Amino acid sequence: MKKSIIILIASLVPVITGAEEYGEPMTLQQCLGFSLEHNASLQKDRLAIESALQSRREIIGSLLPQVNASSGFSYNIQKTTIAMPNFVNSMMPEPMRDPNAAKYMTVTMGMDLSANWGVSLTQQLLNFSLFNAVGIAKAAEEMAALGKEADTDDVIVKTSTLFFNAQILRYSIGLFDESIAVMDRLGGIMEANRGLGLVRNVDADRISVTKTNLETEKLSLIQALEIQKNLLKLEMGFPMTDDIELVPADLDYIETLIFEESINDYIIEEQIPFKMLKKQQTMLDLQRKSAISETLPMLSLSANYSQNYMGDHFYGETFHHFPMSMISLNLRFPIFNGMSKNAKIKKTEIEIKKSMKDENMLVQSLTMGYNNARMQMDRNRRSINSQKRNKELAGNVLKVTESNYTEGISTLSDLLNASSSNIQAQMNYVNALNNCVKAYIDLMKANGTVKEILEN
């Protein structure tokens, strides 16, 4: 494919150098660079990708050995006392037994001080749910990346459209300046001739009214330009309190590039919405496997080692310490869950079938969008040719009429009508060119190639 819309819009104007701080008029490429860096939606997308990455790392961490250490120290202010049958008296020889001994005796348990420390290890050996969860987390991460890619396309389209809208408005203001200059020139001639009694007052007033109307329309365009620039700043993440200036557009060069450019063949598999749907189907399939895995056995290994200390003091005859260690293999096998897991599996299978129906509808919708964008592009190209011829004719009519008016052949009404028709023809041409550029951008988005704007 030839160079894309970046040539169509940005390259048609001189490249501004030394504008890193944007103190000079910005090109489309500079606006796009700023927008991709500071747009709020894209910043959130980057955070979403990072969050998805950390979620996957969290699940992977669950599959790695889990090691924990613990320790404790206790000072028994009041030890536990229990009551039990007086087996000591009953175990003595008959002559030595105390017939008056109490039936129960009390025993104080434990020592004054106790302490311990230990280490435990747990390792998942067979856990299909966790294994499958890693795949789901990875798919979610890829889904977040596709979401950012889709938002990037939207930002490129919106920024490019707002940029060119502002350029067209600025160009249109220049057209009104030219028409107002013509009225000023005619007004000067009128005033000179009116002083000589050669011009009626009503004719001079008509010039003044026409000029005022042009100035009013120009003011409306200026206000519209400021609105477009504010919208552009909002999309770019540009400070609203700062002014932004854009380079002027070379409309002839834009027109040439519009008719020279070509579009790659439409490939449905390259469309981001289609990729996102496919990734959703992958996640649904993983969720189905996850539901199945909940019915499968789980095997884990655990090991513990600890040291225990006790005594009235941590020294001397009353001080004791002993180790404790254990290794265990744990198997859990689900037997009956009230058919809830089976229902969960069936539910995910239904969601997969629904997604397949969504895929058919999406393919039809995307294909229709591309075909409509292609037809809109062709129609706007034809419109440009028509409006360009009309603009040239209106310009010639104005020149001839102005010359004839100077020579006294044409009336003032003829001149004013020709001037009005000329500016209207120029505005129609500019609007047609603007619509064609919008259609071109939409066509690139529908074709999945809008990111080529950033290649040049």
Side-chain angles (χ1 to χ4, degrees):
M1 179 181 176
K2 297 181 181 179
K3 299 300 181 183
S4 61
I5 194 68
I6 186 65
I7 303 179
L8 185 66
I9 301 175
S11 296
L12 49 137
V13 293
V15 177
I16 303 299
T17 59
E20 285 77 4
E21 297 181 356
Y22 305 105
E24 300 181 18
M26 297 176 66
T27 63
L28 175 61
Q29 194 171 14
Q30 289 172 325
C31 289
L32 288 173
F34 194 98
S35 187
L36 295 179
E37 180 66 25
H38 299 91
N39 180 270
S41 296
L42 294 182
Q43 289 178 338
K44 289 177 61 178
D45 288 338
R46 285 189 280 269
L47 293 175
I49 293 175
E50 179 63 24
S51 176
L53 172 62
Q54 298 306 323
S55 296
R56 183 161 65 93
R57 291 184 59 203
E58 180 182 359
I59 297 173
I60 292 176
S62 301
L63 293 172
L64 298 177
Q66 308 294 307
V67 180
N68 296 285
S70 62
S71 64
F73 171 78
S74 300
Y75 172 61
N76 299 313
I77 299 175
Q78 291 182 319
K79 302 181 185 68
T80 301
T81 301
I82 62 173
M84 61 178 62
N86 194 347
F87 62 87
V88 176
N89 186 61
S90 62
M91 291 177 62
M92 296 180 67
E94 185 69 28
M96 299 179 64
R97 293 178 183 174
D98 182 2
N100 299 320
K103 184 177 180 180
Y104 293 94
M105 66 177 184
T106 58
V107 179
T108 301
M109 306 295 292
M111 296 183 174
D112 291 343
L113 304 174
S114 64
N116 66 81
W117 64 267
V119 179
S120 65
L121 178 146
T122 303
Q123 173 64 58
Q124 297 287 338
L125 299 180
L126 188 65
N127 190 326
F128 294 102
S129 294
L130 278 179
F131 296 157
N132 199 65
V134 175
I136 294 176
K138 183 178 180 181
E141 185 179 352
E142 294 171 350
M143 192 72 178
L146 286 173
K148 177 178 178 295
E149 191 175 350
D151 287 344
T152 298
D153 283 1
D154 289 339
V155 168
I156 292 173
V157 170
K158 292 177 182 178
T159 301
S160 302
T161 301
L162 290 169
F163 176 91
F164 198 71
N165 285 345
Q167 280 194 325
I168 289 297
L169 285 169
R170 179 178 173 183
Y171 185 87
S172 300
I173 291 171
L175 295 179
F176 277 89
D177 286 335
E178 294 176 4
S179 296
I180 291 172
V182 172
M183 293 301 106
D184 285 336
R185 186 167 64 251
L186 290 175
I189 297 174
M190 284 285 187
E191 288 299 326
N193 291 334
R194 183 162 61 173
L196 298 175
L198 301 177
V199 174
R200 297 178 302 171
N201 289 335
V202 67
D203 291 335
D205 291 341
R206 289 178 66 186
I207 293 294
S208 178
V209 169
T210 302
K211 177 184 175 182
T212 301
N213 290 338
L214 291 173
E215 289 175 340
T216 300
E217 293 186 47
K218 174 186 173 183
L219 181 60
S220 298
L221 290 177
I222 292 174
Q223 293 174 344
L225 174 60
E226 291 304 315
I227 292 174
Q228 286 296 311
K229 288 167 68 174
N230 285 336
L231 291 173
L232 178 60
K233 288 191 288 186
L234 181 64
E235 183 66 25
M236 291 171 57
F238 198 89
M240 295 300 293
T241 55
D242 294 349
D243 190 27
I244 183 172
E245 292 298 331
L246 308 177
V247 294
D250 185 340
L251 300 187
D252 292 335
Y253 194 47
I254 295 176
E255 180 184 335
T256 301
L257 291 173
I258 285 176
F259 285 97
E260 287 183 353
E261 286 289 341
S262 60
I263 301 292
N264 281 341
D265 293 336
Y266 176 72
I267 304 176
I268 186 65
E269 290 78 12
E270 296 299 323
Q271 310 308 306
I272 294 178
F274 185 83
K275 292 180 180 179
M276 294 181 71
L277 181 62
K278 282 297 185 182
K279 190 57 63 178
Q280 288 176 348
Q281 291 175 350
T282 300
M283 293 181 67
L284 286 173
D285 185 62
L286 289 172
Q287 289 173 3
R288 182 183 65 85
K289 292 179 180 179
S290 179
I292 294 174
S293 65
E294 292 179 8
T295 65
L296 301 177
M298 289 183 289
L299 183 65
S300 63
L301 173 71
S302 61
N304 294 275
Y305 177 82
S306 64
Q307 283 281 357
N308 299 277
Y309 308 88
M310 61 182 62
D312 294 333
H313 304 282
F314 283 141
Y315 57 87
E317 295 180 353
T318 64
F319 176 64
H320 302 278
H321 73 92
F322 52 88
M324 190 280 292
S325 60
M326 178 191 69
I327 296 178
S328 62
L329 195 63
N330 307 297
L331 176 66
R332 186 173 74 88
F333 197 101
I335 296 177
F336 181 72
N337 48 45
M339 303 301 290
S340 62
K341 296 296 186 294
N342 180 264
K344 188 175 182 179
I345 295 171
K346 295 296 184 183
K347 183 179 178 181
T348 56
E349 290 175 348
I350 292 173
E351 292 299 322
I352 291 174
K353 292 178 181 179
K354 288 171 59 179
S355 180
M356 296 304 297
K357 299 297 183 182
D358 291 339
E359 179 180 341
N360 294 333
M361 294 176 60
L362 181 63
V363 170
Q364 295 295 323
S365 177
L366 292 177
T367 303
M368 179 192 69
Y370 171 77
N371 291 335
N372 289 345
R374 170 64 75 180
M375 289 188 294
Q376 186 74 3
M377 182 65 189
D378 294 339
R379 187 184 70 82
N380 279 284
R381 280 175 170 169
R382 291 191 297 270
S383 177
I384 286 177
N385 289 329
S386 175
Q387 295 299 332
K388 184 178 182 180
R389 288 192 299 269
N390 192 55
K391 175 178 72 77
E392 293 171 351
L393 289 173
N396 293 332
V397 169
L398 177 60
K399 290 179 181 179
V400 172
T401 304
E402 187 175 0
S403 176
N404 290 342
Y405 176 77
T406 304
E407 296 176 1
I409 300 175
S410 298
T411 65
L412 179 60
S413 296
D414 293 336
L415 179 58
L416 294 178
N417 291 335
S419 177
S420 176
S421 298
N422 179 63
I423 190 171
Q424 186 62 50
Q426 292 193 55
M427 291 296 295
N428 289 341
Y429 166 74
V430 170
N431 289 332
L433 197 60
N434 185 30
N435 291 335
C436 193
V437 172
K438 291 179 182 178
Y440 195 96
I441 296 174
D442 291 340
L443 181 57
M444 291 188 69
K445 182 180 181 182
N447 195 41
T449 57
V450 72
K451 287 189 180 66
E452 293 184 8
I453 292 178
L454 303 173
E455 292 181 358
N456 191 318

